[in-house]
Amino acid sequence: MKFNWKLLFPFKHNQLLMLKLLLPILLMGIAFRFLFAGFGDIPANLDTSLTEKNIISAILDTHFEAWVNKIQKPLEGKCNLFVGEWIPNPSGPVYNNESCPHIEAHQNCMKNGRPDTEYLYWRWQPRDCQLPKFDPQRFLETMRDKTWALIGDSISRNHVQSMLCMLSTVEVAIYIYHDEEFKSKKWWFPSYNFTISVVWSPFLAEAAIFEDYNGVSTSEVELHLDILDKKWTEEFHRLDYMIISSGKWFVKPAIYYEKNKVLGCHSCPRKNYTELGIEFAYRRVLRSALNFILTSKHKGMIFMRASTPDHFENGEWSTGGTCNRRAPFKEGEIELKDLTKILRNIELEEIKKAEPKASRVGLNLKLLDLTELSLLRPDGHPGSYREFQPFAHDKNAKVQTDCLHWCLPGPIDAWNDVIMEMVLNQ
């Protein structure tokens, strides 16, 4: 009879360590058995699965060896950090809305009165390996005299707040720059001479944008598909690390220009222009951005972040969509919306094409595919608590619901766990 080792080790965590601790004890027991076998204290025909024969058989059993190899395998190569599940995390976040001064009002769900807190007690667990928690002290030490930038739209701004909050448990950054609209910003950690910034460039290309306070377009975007946005291209060569992302803004009605002439448009029925669509425009701009990167001779690390999903149900941003779920999804319980699929497929295709050339020229280009990780967290958005105490005076008040950005603290903090692992160990 073979001993069922899995009964002793029902959990994935620390299995190898437990084996290393247990095997010496078992072997010591075998030695004592042989030493005292002649004294008759231990029956020779002991009817139990833990006899020497069964133990040795189990240790040498090929299935057991395969099981050990399975545990060790993630330690031997790179783990896919992007596939896994959210598991309970009783310790909760490392910061809160009072300990971090960097949270902007729309993402400060706790201060705005969100009544539930369960969304704070989960952590991301990759399927085949352990993911260490973000270590702010180690991160800052590693980034001494370095510069970071997150380049993109308001999700990048949301993300930089998360990084600042986690790092503020070691040192609070000094706010040193903002543009006229307070969309591009920069912070400095004086003890480490480390600078981190967010660069507002939602299209990565030159664009004239017309929208109101709530993000509702008042006129079509004027987007130049052949001209990259100088806001990020002029900063590019001064950066040691960057996370570049785009995509979501291409859904907005837009007129497309090339060589300063109208090429076509997206969603402009009142104008006599050719409908070219989101896919055409996004692929053209992303390919242009990657070509710029590939010919740059940049020596730092460049992350291209794939599009992350929203969780609007029963509508969208401007049509009454909501997000009232209060727990993570399991893998397979939700699918990407068609728009996110379109954007992500373009990103994966274009980045896959760019990777061989990046490798040939020694460019450190990495895909940051946080799509699935984020897809499984419908509970992590501000929802109605985008504004302060939205139902204080009227419990039935109609308010703008945000199912796109993320509460702070919240699921977006796990992005930093993944990024740190990629920076330091992959």
Side-chain angles (χ1 to χ4, degrees):
M1 187 172 91
K2 295 180 180 179
F3 179 68
N4 188 354
W5 286 90
K6 292 184 180 180
L7 292 177
L8 281 180
F9 303 103
F11 306 106
K12 291 183 179 179
H13 306 307
N14 300 319
Q15 289 171 321
L16 192 57
L17 177 60
M18 293 174 70
L19 281 173
K20 290 179 179 179
L21 293 174
L22 184 59
L23 283 175
I25 298 173
L26 294 175
L27 294 174
M28 185 179 295
I30 294 170
F32 272 97
R33 174 63 179 88
F34 290 144
L35 182 63
F36 295 105
F39 294 102
D41 294 335
I42 304 176
N45 61 344
L46 183 63
D47 186 16
T48 173
S49 62
L50 289 178
T51 62
E52 302 88 352
K53 182 178 179 180
N54 288 324
I55 292 172
I56 295 172
S57 175
I59 294 173
L60 298 178
D61 187 85
T62 55
H63 296 291
F64 172 73
E65 291 178 355
W67 184 56
V68 173
N69 288 336
K70 183 178 180 182
I71 299 171
Q72 290 178 318
K73 187 175 180 181
L75 302 177
E76 296 171 355
K78 294 181 180 179
C79 168
N80 186 350
L81 300 171
F82 308 128
V83 178
E85 63 179 338
W86 290 91
I87 64 174
N89 177 32
S91 61
V94 297
Y95 69 93
N96 58 46
N97 65 310
E98 294 182 351
S99 66
C100 178
H102 301 294
I103 305 174
E104 293 185 6
H106 290 332
Q107 283 81 56
N108 201 333
C109 303
M110 300 172 76
K111 183 176 181 180
N112 290 342
R114 178 170 170 171
D116 63 303
T117 58
E118 290 84 355
Y119 70 97
L120 298 171
Y121 296 95
W122 300 89
R123 66 179 178 87
W124 178 247
Q125 175 60 59
R127 181 180 294 164
D128 296 319
C129 62
Q130 296 297 318
L131 176 62
K133 291 182 179 180
F134 184 83
D135 184 338
Q137 181 71 59
R138 186 182 178 194
F139 185 86
L140 285 170
E141 289 289 353
T142 304
M143 296 302 149
R144 189 178 293 276
D145 300 322
K146 303 294 185 183
T147 56
W148 266 77
L150 282 73
I151 300 164
D153 56 22
S154 57
I155 300 296
S156 294
R157 191 165 67 235
N158 197 174
H159 187 190
V160 83
Q161 294 172 52
S162 169
M163 293 188 78
L164 289 167
C165 285
M166 298 183 85
L167 295 173
S168 70
T169 60
V170 175
E171 180 174 83
V172 177
I174 298 173
Y175 185 22
I176 60 173
Y177 167 81
H178 63 77
D179 63 4
E180 291 183 5
E181 297 180 327
F182 288 82
K183 289 187 174 181
S184 292
K185 299 179 180 181
K186 188 177 294 185
W187 296 263
W188 178 54
F189 292 84
S191 297
Y192 302 88
N193 192 31
F194 169 54
T195 302
I196 185 169
S197 60
V198 58
V199 179
W200 174 257
S201 185
F203 290 100
L204 302 181
E206 186 177 302
I209 300 169
F210 311 95
E211 66 174 27
D212 63 18
Y213 174 75
N214 286 317
V216 178
S217 297
T218 56
S219 183
E220 292 91 351
V221 174
E222 296 175 358
L223 179 61
H224 294 262
L225 301 180
D226 59 337
I227 305 175
L228 293 176
D229 187 358
K230 292 181 180 179
K231 292 188 189 73
W232 72 273
T233 58
E234 291 182 350
E235 286 285 320
F236 181 84
H237 292 283
R238 293 192 284 268
L239 300 169
D240 297 298
Y241 296 84
M242 68 195 80
I243 302 173
I244 302 173
S245 59
S246 187
K248 287 290 187 184
W249 278 63
F250 283 81
V251 72
K252 291 179 177 288
I255 299 172
Y256 302 143
Y257 290 82
E258 191 170 71
K259 296 181 180 179
N260 291 318
K261 294 182 179 179
V262 174
L263 187 65
C265 72
H266 163 60
S267 189
C268 58
R270 297 181 182 179
K271 298 185 183 296
N272 189 27
Y273 297 141
T274 303
E275 173 65 39
L276 296 175
I278 297 169
E279 293 180 66
F280 173 85
Y282 188 36
R283 191 180 296 276
R284 180 74 68 90
V285 171
L286 188 59
R287 187 174 294 173
S288 177
L290 285 167
N291 285 337
F292 170 82
I293 292 168
L294 291 171
T295 57
S296 67
K297 298 182 181 179
H298 192 273
K299 299 303 180 183
M301 182 176 285
I302 303 163
F303 292 98
M304 300 297 296
R305 178 172 63 73
S307 292
T308 53
D310 65 70
H311 290 93
F312 285 103
E313 296 182 79
N314 306 310
E316 296 297 329
W317 178 275
S318 57
T319 57
T322 59
C323 44
N324 297 322
R325 297 182 184 269
R326 292 294 176 258
F329 284 117
K330 294 292 185 182
E331 186 178 6
E333 290 182 342
I334 183 176
E335 291 188 0
L336 286 173
K337 295 179 180 179
D338 289 342
L339 173 62
T340 309
K341 283 183 182 179
I342 289 170
L343 298 175
R344 185 169 182 270
N345 287 341
I346 292 170
E347 292 156 355
L348 297 184
E349 289 169 10
E350 294 301 321
I351 294 171
K352 185 176 181 180
K353 291 177 185 176
E355 284 176 339
K357 184 173 182 181
S359 180
R360 287 196 301 270
V361 300
L363 192 73
N364 197 352
L365 178 68
K366 292 180 180 289
L367 171 65
L368 184 60
D369 189 5
L370 300 170
T371 307
E372 181 175 341
L373 179 158
S374 305
L375 177 65
L376 300 179
R377 290 305 305 273
D379 57 323
H381 302 288
S384 300
Y385 294 91
R386 180 175 182 265
E387 303 292 343
F388 181 72
Q389 301 290 344
F391 305 112
H393 302 293
D394 181 358
K395 64 179 182 179
N396 297 313
K398 292 184 178 181
V399 297
Q400 175 67 59
T401 303
D402 186 351
C403 306
L404 172 62
H405 302 96
W406 303 93
C407 291
L408 293 172
I412 197 172
D413 294 327
W415 294 11
N416 301 321
D417 297 342
V418 173
I419 289 164
M420 183 166 183
E421 181 67 11
M422 293 179 72
V423 168
L424 298 181
N425 299 318
Q426 292 204 15

